[in-house]
Amino acid sequence: MAKQSGMTVFWRTGLALGASALAMGIAAPVMAQDKASDEEGAGREIVVTAQFREQKLQDTPLSITAVDSGLLESRNQTDLSQIARQAPNVTLNGMGGAYGSSLGASIRGVGQFDFNPAYEPGVGMYIDDVYYATLTGGIFDLLDLERVEVLRGPQGTNTGRNAIGGAIKLFSKKPTDENSGTVQATYGSRQRSELRASGNFVLANGLYGRVSGVYKHQNGYVDQVDYGCAKPGNPEGVSALPSSGSDCVISKFGEVNYSGVRGSLRFNPNDAIDYTVAADYTYENRTNAAEVVTSSTKAGTVNAICGKFCNYASFYLPGGGQVTQGYFMPNTTKFDGWGVSGNGTFTLSDSLNVQSITAYRRYRQIWGTDDDYTPFSSLGAGGYNDLDFWFFSQELRINGKVGDLVDWTLGGFYSKQKSTYFTRQDIRYIAPGLNFQFMGDDPVKADSKAVFGSVFVRPMEGLTLTGGLRYTDEHKDYTFKRKNFDGSKSIFLGALDGVVATYDGSKWDWRLSADYRFSPQVLAYVTAGTGFKGGGVTARPFDAAQALNGSFGPETVTAYEAGLKTDLFDRRLRLNLSAFINDYKAIQLPLISCASLGSNAPCGARQNAGDGKIKGFELEMSATPVEGLDIDASLSHLTGNWSTIDARVGNAILITDPIVSPNWKYSFGIQYKADMGSAGSITPRFDLAYTGKTSAGRVVAGGPIDYFQAYTLGNARLTWRNQGEDLSISLEVQNLFDKYYTPFRFAAVQSFSGTIYSQVGRPREWAVTVKKEF
């Protein structure tokens, strides 16, 4: 029998699934399209804006996980990183201490985990349609949200910048024409204390305001232990610190200490004008991420491993080289940020409106690092980091329609940003005897301009054809400053001091889609489109040649997808299925050799150095088999292979390596609301989420790949509500089975330090929450 291509199997599978679903749809009872939204259950209708206009989730021919505020609350989800547990083929992870308060994100195996401002995110993040341009500060608290939309697959024509893997969009609750409010208090494990409140006010006819705030604090769960105190008379000669307590614990890593406030003012005097001005402020000041040494191979570091929930990291650098006395780096992360935005829609006629979105955001983050997480080294191994960032953007959209046949959107986007990354690096361990120490204070500037358009045509009943096009032009420049600690030109990196590296590039993106509604119960679609992650320059060069010759272009994806969206059995069962192939090109990879760039120094460059294909499928289900019982589940699979890898990558990545991981993810949730009449109601809920083993890369080039082991997390919640449903009391337990897992590690300097330290997931913890609505 002739061998079938992957594309042939893909499309035949999609057509077969479509035919099967059509048959189910015909057999199923007709669903009531105008059925009122339910607070819970498969019949709940969520409206999304993924295609520049309001559409029901089930009418949108895109792979979207949409979660409203009620489901977020029932799942105990309070920050963005937790959304990935139930979103198919989505990875969101708060990064380790070396990267500060940043969020690593990938969708369908495409994303970015390095916070450095020279590199672009691979997943576009938006707050109220405003692009958030960096990974730093991306672990948003889910404060006063209406919904979260996770768009899977490249969104090049829908959201534009750096949405090669997909986009995550957060939508806040808008001020409305009512006086209302909520207050919520939580207490739990490790002295967890949390307070949330919101208020909505009618200020005048057509003028409304809303204010919300959050404060949360929780002690850490990984002990930073003073080695000299815990092991007096140790053979390494490490003395106890005067600041250590009787238990020898210096600090507790993994602390939560976060506060934020948001205010918005909405002017909506009539149907023609709807304009909202919003401002927010966030402050975070906590210990570094919860990390422990998980590998110690170098002579003299065998005693660096403390245990599952403790470390001997000292954050101490002894005197030597450019410093005469020993000193400490901070073991904390501090983030201070704010933003303002204006989002207005102006209706000019029944068939034409204009939307304007203007925003400015600024933040500063300061954090320290301990590169080896041991107290032993007589050489420096740490850094101080201070990242300042501002961002301005303006987007304009014109939405129109021609009768009932055609809808269209035309728009433009402009953004300008600047990061200033100050760092003080004491890395004498890299070259003992050379006292490798330097300061950087690098300004990184970038701007982006784009024009875009989409058209939606309905040539016959049930059929919609969609086309989209976007042109983007980008510029980035990175000025390297390399100084000694006294401000003079760096001894080792002085050739970089004052060097300006630039990148300029442009890119066209397109999308074509066809969807057909076979019945009120079944929508099938096929789509193809592109996305890209912006190019840039090498962020950590070791000489001028790597900086000047180390610019790289965008990496790209061309994606092919088929999907089904179904509401069956009088909307008691919802099944959404998608299958896709991503043709992944010009992947930005680190190099082992920089000889081609004219450099013989250790290589710190990144280039477009690989191509490959990623394939997968996703299934999402929600059901309400009987009144009060709600079930939701998801299942996803990823696989793929490299087709080419540049020889300059060396054997750090081999063509036989998996291009994506984890292969499998699944989740399951169930709850039942039992009505007790005048005594109110009680709702038990249980959630389970599985993440398959995930590649951690190689520690030694050419050696075996290490993996983060698969893990399953269970959460439980029991909620009582009074009869009027304006008062509730909840008991929750997260990580119910007390699973020990490590989702991320820092091994970048293992060849020098001999150690690897890994982030540790939160252990089992409980909390009680009381919520009152007014």
Side-chain angles (χ1 to χ4, degrees):
M1 185 174 68
K3 183 178 180 181
Q4 298 181 354
S5 70
M7 289 297 295
T8 301
V9 173
F10 173 73
W11 291 118
R12 287 184 178 177
T13 302
L15 291 171
L17 289 169
S20 300
L22 175 59
M24 288 192 297
I26 292 172
V30 175
M31 86 174 165
Q33 292 285 356
D34 58 351
K35 181 178 179 180
S37 297
D38 299 320
E39 180 183 345
E40 298 157 344
R44 178 179 60 246
E45 197 64 77
I46 298 179
V47 175
V48 298
T49 56
Q51 297 189 121
F52 306 122
R53 54 200 11 89
E54 291 188 348
Q55 294 176 288
K56 293 179 180 179
L57 175 65
Q58 293 301 91
D59 291 337
T60 308
L62 294 169
S63 295
I64 304 176
T65 297
V67 186
D68 63 13
S69 58
L71 192 53
L72 290 172
E73 183 177 331
S74 69
R75 288 174 173 172
N76 313 315
Q77 293 175 336
T78 60
D79 71 58
L80 182 59
S81 65
Q82 296 171 317
I83 297 295
R85 293 177 186 170
Q86 282 83 20
N89 284 329
V90 175
T91 298
L92 302 174
N93 191 68
M95 303 305 287
Y99 296 144
S101 183
S102 64
L103 179 72
S106 74
I107 297 178
R108 293 181 173 175
V110 182
Q112 174 69 17
F113 293 88
D114 191 334
F115 79 96
N116 194 286
Y119 305 135
E120 299 293 333
V123 173
M125 290 189 285
Y126 289 78
I127 305 174
D128 297 328
D129 278 329
V130 174
Y131 180 62
Y132 194 90
T134 71
L135 298 178
T136 299
I139 310 176
F140 308 119
D141 185 87
L142 304 180
L143 172 64
D144 203 26
L145 287 187
E146 177 185 288
R147 70 185 187 278
V148 178
E149 298 177 13
V150 181
L151 285 65
R152 300 187 296 277
Q155 304 296 318
T157 62
N158 290 326
T159 61
R161 280 199 66 186
N162 301 311
I164 181 175
I168 300 171
K169 308 180 80 171
L170 282 64
F171 293 91
S172 307
K173 292 179 179 178
K174 288 185 176 182
T176 59
D177 58 346
E178 65 176 6
N179 292 306
S180 62
T182 64
V183 174
Q184 177 178 306
T186 299
Y187 181 80
S189 300
R190 300 191 309 280
Q191 297 184 14
R192 175 182 172 185
S193 55
E194 192 169 308
L195 182 64
R196 296 172 181 271
S198 66
N200 194 95
F201 311 97
V202 177
L203 303 176
N205 186 30
L207 184 64
Y208 320 116
R210 190 174 186 91
V211 178
S212 53
V214 59
Y215 166 79
K216 53 186 183 181
H217 184 274
Q218 186 177 25
N219 292 340
Y221 55 96
V222 167
D223 291 340
Q224 181 192 5
V225 176
D226 180 352
Y227 182 80
C229 172
K231 297 187 176 183
N234 58 82
E236 295 85 6
V238 178
S239 302
L241 298 172
S243 57
S244 294
S246 58
D247 59 358
C248 299
V249 175
I250 302 170
S251 187
K252 289 183 176 290
F253 286 4
E255 179 187 31
V256 176
N257 187 20
Y258 180 101
S259 55
V261 63
R262 185 179 189 275
S264 54
L265 191 65
R266 182 182 183 189
F267 182 56
N268 186 205
N270 51 51
D271 292 340
I273 300 174
D274 191 350
Y275 195 86
T276 300
V277 177
D280 64 83
Y281 173 74
T282 299
Y283 179 76
E284 185 178 20
N285 189 2
R286 58 169 175 80
T287 58
N288 278 4
E291 294 173 309
V292 303
V293 173
T294 51
S295 176
S296 181
T297 60
K298 199 170 184 178
T301 66
V302 292
N303 294 322
I305 297 177
C306 178
K308 286 187 173 182
F309 290 102
C310 66
N311 64 60
Y312 293 129
S314 65
F315 286 76
Y316 178 76
L317 293 96
Q322 299 176 35
V323 292
T324 57
Q325 294 183 335
Y327 62 102
F328 287 92
M329 292 295 183
N331 65 354
T332 57
T333 297
K334 182 186 295 186
F335 179 90
D336 196 310
W338 59 274
V340 294
S341 66
N343 191 327
T345 300
F346 307 94
T347 302
L348 306 180
S349 70
D350 290 342
S351 59
L352 191 66
N353 70 64
V354 176
Q355 185 175 10
S356 174
I357 306 167
T358 310
Y360 179 84
R361 180 161 296 279
R362 182 153 203 162
Y363 67 70
R364 185 182 181 189
Q365 178 177 265
I366 298 173
W367 74 104
T369 62
D370 183 326
D371 288 348
D372 63 359
Y373 257 52
T374 78
F376 309 139
S377 178
S378 60
L379 303 177
Y384 174 89
N385 306 275
D386 185 340
L387 181 61
D388 184 85
F389 172 82
W390 63 259
F391 175 84
F392 169 81
S393 67
Q394 172 65 54
E395 184 167 357
L396 191 68
R397 304 174 189 164
I398 304 173
N399 298 297
K401 59 190 302 183
V402 181
D404 294 327
L405 180 64
V406 177
D407 288 354
W408 55 269
T409 297
L410 290 175
F413 174 83
Y414 171 76
S415 69
K416 188 177 183 66
Q417 67 191 68
K418 181 181 178 181
S419 305
T420 304
Y421 180 29
F422 174 84
T423 184
R424 176 184 170 115
Q425 293 291 322
D426 195 336
I427 48 180
R428 285 170 273 168
Y429 62 89
I430 288 180
L434 295 182
N435 296 322
F436 201 166
Q437 300 158 316
F438 72 92
M439 291 194 306
D441 193 13
D442 303 349
V444 188
K445 301 175 185 177
D447 60 71
S448 178
K449 300 179 283 290
V451 291
F452 55 88
S454 293
V455 61
F456 309 85
V457 181
R458 290 172 286 275
M460 57 181 287
E461 185 175 357
L463 176 65
T464 301
L465 305 177
T466 303
L469 196 64
R470 187 181 189 107
Y471 174 77
T472 304
D473 182 85
E474 295 188 314
H475 167 82
K476 178 176 289 182
D477 59 75
Y478 194 123
T479 303
F480 296 93
K481 298 184 179 180
R482 295 294 179 263
K483 305 289 187 183
N484 294 320
F485 286 177
D486 63 4
S488 59
K489 184 177 290 190
S490 171
I491 298 171
F492 303 101
L493 300 175
L496 277 166
D497 193 45
V499 168
V500 179
T502 61
Y503 164 77
D504 290 280
S506 60
K507 187 76 175 61
W508 285 96
D509 278 313
W510 56 269
R511 176 183 172 228
L512 295 173
S513 176
D515 63 88
Y516 185 74
R517 183 162 286 286
F518 289 95
S519 71
Q521 293 80 34
V522 179
L523 175 78
Y525 68 88
V526 292
T527 184
T530 65
F532 77 96
K533 181 168 71 176
V537 301
T538 291
R540 302 179 182 94
F542 283 90
D543 62 18
Q546 292 180 27
L548 293 172
N549 303 324
S551 63
F552 49 86
E555 63 181 35
T556 65
V557 159
T558 303
Y560 308 90
E561 180 176 334
L564 289 169
K565 295 193 170 186
T566 70
D567 278 305
L568 308 173
F569 309 114
D570 198 22
R571 297 182 65 187
R572 290 190 177 277
L573 174 64
R574 173 171 291 176
L575 288 171
N576 291 345
L577 174 67
S578 60
F580 60 89
I581 293 177
N582 286 347
D583 193 5
Y584 196 11
K585 298 286 189 181
I587 305 171
Q588 298 163 3
L589 298 174
L591 305 185
I592 293 294
S593 170
C594 283
S596 64
L597 304 178
S599 169
N600 293 318
C603 192
R606 181 176 294 198
Q607 295 280 279
N608 303 105
D611 301 323
K613 278 188 170 59
I614 300 173
K615 298 176 286 186
F617 69 83
E618 297 149 352
L619 174 66
E620 293 184 282
M621 181 274 289
S622 58
T624 306
V626 297
E627 190 68 26
L629 177 63
D630 297 307
I631 303 170
D632 58 82
S634 68
L635 174 68
S636 61
H637 180 68
L638 271 180
T639 188
N641 56 274
W642 296 96
S643 55
T644 61
I645 295 179
D646 194 308
R648 295 174 297 170
V649 175
N651 53 3
I653 302 174
L654 303 180
I655 202 163
T656 54
D657 290 350
I659 192 172
V660 290
S661 63
N663 294 133
W664 291 98
K665 284 187 65 182
Y666 66 76
S667 69
F668 173 81
I670 185 170
Q671 67 180 47
Y672 180 73
K673 182 178 180 180
D675 191 344
M676 301 185 297
S678 60
S681 66
I682 189 165
T683 305
R685 180 177 177 92
F686 175 72
D687 285 285
L688 198 69
Y690 169 84
T691 300
K693 70 176 185 178
T694 305
S695 173
R698 288 182 170 83
V699 174
V700 179
I705 296 176
D706 287 350
Y707 286 92
F708 302 118
Q709 292 304 305
Y711 59 91
T712 304
L713 299 179
N715 294 340
R717 184 182 179 101
L718 182 65
T719 301
W720 170 84
R721 293 185 180 91
N722 67 349
Q723 188 175 23
E725 299 205 338
D726 59 357
L727 175 66
S728 66
I729 302 173
S730 301
L731 170 65
E732 68 180 66
V733 180
Q734 299 199 44
N735 195 357
L736 180 65
F737 308 119
D738 205 19
K739 178 68 175 178
Y740 185 86
Y741 63 103
T742 56
F744 178 78
R745 74 179 187 184
F746 184 78
V749 297
Q750 190 271 346
S751 59
F752 301 107
S753 68
T755 56
I756 295 172
Y757 56 93
S758 302
Q759 190 180 122
V760 178
R762 306 182 76 80
R764 179 168 55 214
E765 53 191 47
W766 62 268
V768 175
T769 298
V770 179
K771 181 179 180 180
K772 173 63 178 174
E773 300 180 15
F774 302 95

